[in-house]
Amino acid sequence: MTTASDRPVRIGVQLPPQHTPYPQLRDAVTELEQLGVDVIFNWDHFFPLSGDPDGLHFESWTMLAAIAEQTSRVEFGPLVNCNSYRNPDLQADMARTIDHISAGSDGVGRFVFGTGSGWFERDYTEYGYEFGTAGSRLDALAVDLPRVRERWSVMNPAPTRDIPILIGGGGEKKTLRIVAEHADIWHSFSDAETLERKLAVLDGWCTEVGRDRDEIELSTGVSARGMGDLGPDSLQPLYDLGVRLFIPALSSPDFDYTDVKRLIAWRDEVNG
């Protein structure tokens, strides 16, 4: 079994599909892969989350299919897919297809199925989805994830690998139970103190559902700016708690890769 001590540090980057012409987004994907990041993420929304609310914006999954064809090394996926926007069997088929598009000469795909319950009300109201409540959306995610897995098990062709499921969010009553049951990667935005508390909750849910928490890779969003040399004084507390996937977000439209390069250098130093 892989444990945190066995896993290498990985650097992901979230590339927001907002306020940026698509050719510039495409160039950013190329640049990030060449820099050596491990995973590239976008997000699954229909409108910008910051800046001009009616600014430029592109749809997540069609962009992910293009990333699959464009790249050859990096893993990639949504951070995160909104479960409410698509039938779960359709989600499974889309993920399986993108998995195959991204497969290299070894026949293995690179898609990461990042998912969550959704939260951005404007997406729902303008695209005609029922918004419901935070609880009802999480209940739907809990019901739909087994359907995604079941659809993967009967597809022809099958996915090229066991597509890793990343679940984002830190709700202790529902989200972390879903993480315990289904996640290969758990993504949060926690500082070390908060993460330590939530890991204790996750341990409890893993015990209840019969899962070893070491099976779940820990991921967190980070802001590289203001974090000193990105070494022991900044990221070490999260590393000590088992976090191995660190994900900064670039700011659109003027992508600055300085902090990404610093994180990659720190990764390489830690991994040896």
Side-chain angles (χ1 to χ4, degrees):
M1 178 188 303
T2 301
T3 65
S5 60
D6 300 322
R7 293 189 182 98
V9 168
R10 300 196 296 159
I11 302 301
V13 173
Q14 187 177 48
L15 184 64
Q18 64 176 12
H19 304 311
T20 309
Y22 190 77
Q24 190 173 339
L25 289 168
R26 184 173 56 229
D27 290 346
V29 169
T30 297
E31 179 69 16
L32 289 169
E33 183 169 50
Q34 291 176 347
L35 285 175
V37 303
D38 299 289
V39 197
I40 296 173
F41 296 99
N42 61 11
W43 66 40
D44 187 22
H45 295 288
F46 305 131
F47 301 96
L49 299 185
S50 62
D52 180 0
D54 296 313
L56 295 175
H57 199 280
F58 292 98
E59 194 276 327
S60 172
W61 282 81
T62 40
M63 180 179 174
L64 291 167
I67 291 174
E69 191 68 59
Q70 176 185 345
T71 57
S72 61
R73 179 190 57 78
V74 293
E75 291 191 311
F76 63 96
L79 190 65
V80 290
N81 167 67
C82 177
N83 181 66
S84 307
Y85 300 161
R86 303 162 192 89
N87 172 286
D89 296 277
L90 174 60
Q91 294 176 50
D93 205 343
M94 293 164 66
R96 182 280 309 256
T97 299
I98 292 176
D99 169 66
H100 276 268
I101 293 171
S102 68
S105 59
D106 60 0
V108 178
R110 295 171 283 115
F111 184 72
V112 176
F113 184 63
T115 195
S117 60
W119 61 273
F120 190 40
E121 189 169 5
R122 185 184 180 189
D123 285 348
Y124 287 81
T125 56
E126 294 213 23
Y127 276 61
Y129 299 108
E130 181 181 350
F131 188 54
T133 65
S136 68
R137 294 191 299 275
L138 281 165
D139 290 342
L141 179 64
V143 169
D144 289 346
L145 277 170
R147 285 181 58 183
V148 170
R149 289 186 181 276
E150 174 62 24
R151 181 57 56 186
W152 282 339
S153 74
V154 299
M155 284 181 157
N156 184 14
T160 69
R161 63 173 181 166
D162 290 332
I163 297 174
I165 294 175
L166 177 154
I167 295 176
E172 297 179 6
K173 294 182 178 180
K174 291 189 176 184
T175 301
L176 291 183
R177 181 184 180 110
I178 298 171
V179 170
E181 292 179 321
H182 299 290
D184 300 291
I185 306 168
W186 172 47
H187 181 75
S188 73
F189 298 90
S190 303
D191 58 27
E193 182 179 358
T194 302
L195 180 62
E196 187 170 18
R197 185 186 76 248
K198 291 187 179 295
L199 285 175
V201 176
L202 180 58
D203 284 339
W205 283 122
C206 285
T207 297
E208 183 163 327
V209 304
R211 182 94 183 272
D212 189 325
R213 202 249 290 171
D214 278 341
E215 296 176 8
I216 304 170
E217 182 177 11
L218 303 182
S219 168
T220 190
V222 296
S223 174
R225 295 191 182 281
M227 298 186 74
D229 62 358
L230 298 176
D233 294 336
S234 53
L235 300 181
Q236 192 69 37
L238 293 168
Y239 180 89
D240 289 344
L241 288 169
V243 175
R244 292 296 182 270
L245 178 56
F246 296 85
I247 307 175
L250 294 183
S251 296
S252 306
D254 299 318
F255 301 128
D256 183 346
Y257 303 104
T258 302
D259 294 327
V260 174
K261 293 175 182 177
R262 294 167 68 202
L263 282 165
I264 289 171
W266 175 77
R267 175 202 67 189
D268 293 345
E269 179 181 351
V270 170
N271 289 343

